[in-house]
């Protein structure tokens, strides 16, 4: 066996993100573009890399092609390592047949070989869907200090939103006394962020028990954590302060992107000590033409801008032609907005072409979403 | 196609870079907002299917090797072939701007012996072009010539570029300096490997000279031909070349011929945040790299990564390199501002088209480098 490892990460990246609609029609939610250059999975991968975790299993399932090719061998996040790195772990066939991952716990259970191969002291379970910056090392130190078998990262959420989350109650020491998945009447506003650290041995045993339980839905929040609590095992809550978001809906996806345009964004991409890394294609430098007018815009690599843009984010490799007008919108990478097109309060997907004179979006009401790889015909109106 | 190995020579300098290349070779001069000059030669090699590339380093190679690393950005971190760092000799410091010193090759003769490749494609590292070498290789193998030199009718005169004299389709000599309309040598050629090895033996007493000067008396005895390149190409020898060639990237036709998806110019990836153009900013006809924060006016300029332009600052017709900060009220015109400089409030820096103002790296430090 290779060098002894203290902690490896298992990144759950199989989710569809069905509430993101057109944006996840052909790609998994962790592969959805963010800020015009990043993809959502960049945040958890960068967090791992910045926390010194050098081995990550990425569990994929839904529409994995784009995600798998994006993650590659993890080199873009500095994961190239002779005895670690990034491993894509899809569902697989066995001698007795194969099946899809049935739940978060089942996904890990089906990869016990992977956990055993690396045989680290601790396993960090993550979701590839979340936007945040976090040093997992601090959480691991807390886990070890508290002598827990499992630690759940938690944060305070507004009371009125608490019933959307897994809610924990703790004692003064931070030991979890109660866990309720999406409670109607929450007793606390400490929400689970879906980030867990387990002692490897405990995790393996619990997953084996859970796999044999026919009544279980094989989910960490619904089954594994409640079982540990029921058995009176020490489960610790680690409080996280800072920005964390599960961009589950179009509105929260749009808002979280657009806040990057603020003078002082709540969640900024700029942080030299804790950079968010990404695996981008090679693009030449952004060109702002003579006919362009820009008013508060984020412009990514490879863009060619000839039109007028206000308060918008333009993704890698986009071309915004002369006479086009874009306001309060998010244009995802490699999209072409042709002459005299008007886009307001919209999200336009990747590799999409909006032909001359088309009108997209409305100033009020729901955000308009155009999917990936689409062509909007000349003069078309998409409110 | 017979196997070809590449050789990039970066061991030379000129006095006309106004000290911009004091601490770095011309090969590692930052270019076009995110590139370095050597990116073109390296990318052209791999885009033409050459996967073993030797790089003759200049004396001051820190910035060059920092940029190139293992060569992974050009997919040259390979088992078969890959990138070979070949230390250049001290003759490269003579500022004679000789591009193909025989001694640099003699010193690294192992590179030429430990291969079965039939040909060596040699190029200097200050050429801005997106050239597919495949037709050159084909022309050379078909003709069976000893050497095939890449040439082009000169669009302007240049004392550093060699003029090629051709009679009956064969090169009969070269001379330093080319006038507009004459046949210019584009500092790239292909040669049979065995012949190059023979050169090292035959001419060992003259090894401190450029190959094309050594051959002076022997041109007529050899079969040296030319291959004309009709695409966009510029060579950088002076601040003026450097400035003008950068500025030509604002012509999107030229920009598009240099940077295209089919033959991408690759460079070291630096994961920068996107550029942010704030409400107060005015930006026209400029290249604005990632990591730039723009609140002032920028026109006809090239900004490298991480440049900050405060509100009320004005930048025109200038090149601002990485991490420089232009404070509110400052005016920069016709200037090259090297890396990590702080242009203070109300400072006025004005060069002219004829006389570009040059501010050296960290002349007025913007911040401590981490």
């Amino acid at each position: 066996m290779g060098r002894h490892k203290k902690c490896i990460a298992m990144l759950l990246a199989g989710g569809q993100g069905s509430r993101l609609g057109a944006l996840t029609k052909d790609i998994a939610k962790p592969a959805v573009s963010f800020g015009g250059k990043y993809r959502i999975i960049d945040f958890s991968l960068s967090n791992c890399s910045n926390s010194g975790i050098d081995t990550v299993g990425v569990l994929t399932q839904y529409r994995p092609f784009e995600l798998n090719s994006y993650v590659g061998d993890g080199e873009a996040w500095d994961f190239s390592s002779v005895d670690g790195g990034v491993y894509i772990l899809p569902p697989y066939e066995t001698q007795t047949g194969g099946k899809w991952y049935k739940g978060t716990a089942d996904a890990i259970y089906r990869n016990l070989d992977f956990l055993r191969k690396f045989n680290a002291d601790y396993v960090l379970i993550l979701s590839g869907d979340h936007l945040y910056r976090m040093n997992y090392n601090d959480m691991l130190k807390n886990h070890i200090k508290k002598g827990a078998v499992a630690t759940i990262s938690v944060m305070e959420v507004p009371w009125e939103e608490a019933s959307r989350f897994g809610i924990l109650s703790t004692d003064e020491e931070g030991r979890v006394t109660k866990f309720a998945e999406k409670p109607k009447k929450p007793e606390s506003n400490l929400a689970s962020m879906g980030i867990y650290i387990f002692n490897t041995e405990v995790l393996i045993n619990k997953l084996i028990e859970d796999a044999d339980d026919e009544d279980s839905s094989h989910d960490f929040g619904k089954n594994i954590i409640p079982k540990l609590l029921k058995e009176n095992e020490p489960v610790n809550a680690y409080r996280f302060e800072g920005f964390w978001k599960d961009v589950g809906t179009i509105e929260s996806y749009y808002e979280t992107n657009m806040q990057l345009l603020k003078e002082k964004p709540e969640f900024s991409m700029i942080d030299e000590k804790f950079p968010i890394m990404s695996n981008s294609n090679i693009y030449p430098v952004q060109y702002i033409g003579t006919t362009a007018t820009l008013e508060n815009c984020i412009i990514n690599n490879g863009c060619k801008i000839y039109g007028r843009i206000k308060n918008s984010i333009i993704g890698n490799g986009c071309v915004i032609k002369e006479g086009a007008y874009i306001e309060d919108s998010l244009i995802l990478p490699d999209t072409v907005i042709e002459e005299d097109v008007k886009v307001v309060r919209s999200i336009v997907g990747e590799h999409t072409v909006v032909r001359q004179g088309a009108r997209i979006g409305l100033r009020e009401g729901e955000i308009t979403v155009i999917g990936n790889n689409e062509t909007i015909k000349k003069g078309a109106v998409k409110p | 196609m017979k196997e070809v190995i590449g050789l990039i020579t970066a061991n030379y300098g000129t006095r006309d870079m106004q000290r911009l290349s004091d601490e770095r070779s011309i090969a590692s001069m930052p270019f076009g907002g995110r590139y370095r000059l050597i990116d073109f030669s390296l990318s052209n090699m791999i885009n033409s299917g050459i996967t073993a590339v030797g790089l003759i380093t200049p004396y001051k190679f820190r910035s060059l090797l920092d940029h190139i690393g293992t060569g992974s950005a050009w997919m040259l971190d390979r088992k078969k072939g890959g990138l070979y760092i070949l230390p250049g000799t001290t003759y490269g410091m003579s500022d004679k701007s000789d591009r193909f010193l025989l001694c640099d090759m003699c010193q690294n003769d192992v590179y030429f012996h430990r291969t079965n490749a039939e040909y060596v494609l040699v190029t200097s590292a200050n050429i801005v072009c997106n050239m597919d070498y495949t037709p050159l290789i084909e022309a050379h193998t078909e003709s069976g010539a000893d050497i095939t030199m890449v040439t082009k009718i000169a669009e302007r005169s240049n004392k550093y570029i060699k003029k090629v004299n051709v009679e009956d389709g064969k090169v009969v000599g070269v001379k330093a300096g080319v006038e507009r309309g004459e046949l210019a040598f584009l500092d790239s050629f292909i040669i049979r490997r065995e012949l190059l090895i023979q050169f090292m033996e035959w001419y060992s007493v003259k090894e401190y000279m450029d190959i094309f000067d050594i051959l002076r008396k022997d041109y007529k005895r050899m079969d040296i031909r030319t291959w004309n390149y009709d695409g966009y190409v510029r060579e950088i020898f002076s601040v003026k070349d450097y400035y003008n060639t950068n500025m030509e990237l604002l012509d999107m036709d030229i920009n598009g011929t240099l940077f295209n998806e089919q033959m991408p110019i690759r460079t070291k990836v630096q994961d920068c945040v996107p550029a942010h153009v704030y409400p107060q900013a005015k930006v026209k006809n400029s290249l604005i790299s990632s990591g730039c924060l723009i609140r002032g006016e920028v026109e006809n300029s090239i900004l490298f990564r991480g440049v900050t332009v405060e509100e009320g600052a004005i930048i025109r017709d200038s090149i601002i390199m990485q991490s420089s900060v232009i404070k509110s009220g400052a005016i920069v015109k016709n200037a090259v501002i090297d890396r990590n400089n702080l242009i203070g409030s109300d400072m006025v820096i004005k060069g002219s088209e004829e006389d570009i103002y040059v501010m050296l790296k960290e002349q007025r430090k913007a911040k401590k480098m981490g």
Side-chain angles (χ1 to χ4, degrees), chain B residues 94-233:
Chain B
S94 64
D95 271 355
K96 275 171 49 196
S97 76
D98 286 337
R99 261 84 78 197
F100 306 112
L101 292 171
L102 189 64
C103 52
D104 283 345
M105 299 174 202
C106 293
Q107 177 159 297
N108 296 289
D109 61 344
V110 175
Y111 176 65
F112 306 99
H113 286 292
R114 277 191 197 161
T115 170
N116 294 316
E118 185 86 11
Y119 302 103
V120 186
L121 197 152
V122 189
T123 183
S124 71
N126 62 332
I127 307 176
V128 176
C129 67
N130 190 329
M131 193 187 297
D132 182 1
Y133 297 130
T134 322
L136 164 69
I137 297 166
E138 276 167 11
H140 181 73
T141 49
E142 251 170 52
S143 73
D146 293 321
I147 298 177
T148 303
M149 300 166 77
V150 180
T151 54
K152 185 182 177 68
I153 301 293
E155 289 170 30
R156 54 195 84 173
S157 46
N158 189 316
K159 64 176 174 180
Y160 288 108
I161 295 180
K162 285 187 165 74
K163 180 199 169 197
V164 183
N165 295 317
V166 178
E167 280 173 20
D168 299 331
K170 294 198 178 166
V171 175
V172 293
V174 298
K175 95 176 200 342
V178 70
E179 297 296 325
R180 187 165 173 263
E182 292 178 341
L183 194 62
F185 176 34
L186 292 182
D187 288 329
S188 306
F189 64 96
I190 180 166
I191 182 170
R192 238 178 46 242
R193 182 178 58 92
E194 294 293 345
L195 181 63
L196 185 62
I197 289 172
Q198 281 173 329
F199 276 10
M200 296 182 204
E201 291 163 13
W202 295 343
Y203 300 114
S204 59
V205 290
K206 292 182 183 171
E207 65 163 25
Y208 57 91
M209 287 168 71
D210 183 294
I211 285 186
F212 290 93
D213 292 327
I214 293 173
L215 288 176
R216 192 167 301 257
K217 284 181 181 154
D218 296 334
Y219 278 100
K220 283 180 185 163
R221 291 197 291 156
M222 304 188 72
D223 182 0
I224 302 181
R225 305 196 190 188
T226 59
W227 178 77
N228 267 310
Y229 179 66
D230 52 15
Y232 174 89
V233 60

Side-chain angles (χ1 to χ4, degrees), chain A residues 37-38 261 263 269 272 277-278 282-290 292 296-301 304 306, chain B residues 32 34-35 250 252 265-266 271-279 283-290 295 367:
Chain A
K37 116 167 222 182
Y38 304 93
L261 288 161
E263 183 70 28
M269 297 299 99
E272 283 176 24
M277 292 168 267
S278 70
I282 300 167
Y283 292 97
V285 173
Q286 315 52 345
Y287 175 70
I288 317 294
T290 313
N296 200 27
C297 303
I298 286 176
I299 310 289
N300 278 282
N301 279 338
K304 295 185 173 71
Y306 302 93
Chain B
R34 68 173 300 190
Y35 300 93
L250 296 175
M252 289 318 275
I265 302 300
R266 293 168 197 276
D271 224 335
C272 257
V273 298
H276 197 152
V277 180
Y278 286 90
V283 183
K284 295 276 182 211
N285 193 37
S286 295
L287 294 171
I288 306 289
S289 305
S290 289
R295 292 182 170 84
K367 60 172 178 182

Side-chain angles (χ1 to χ4, degrees), chain B residues 31-74:
Chain B
F31 183 80
R34 68 173 300 190
Y35 300 93
R36 301 226 180 211
L37 284 179
I38 193 156
D39 293 343
F40 292 95
S41 302
L42 277 172
S43 301
N44 289 339
M45 291 274 179
I46 57 153
N47 287 340
S48 307
I50 298 171
T51 50
V53 178
L55 170 66
I56 294 178
T57 61
Y59 177 68
K60 292 202 170 167
F61 57 68
R62 187 204 56 79
S63 78
L64 188 63
L65 295 197
D66 179 12
H67 179 67
I68 290 171
T70 60
S72 62
W74 300 269

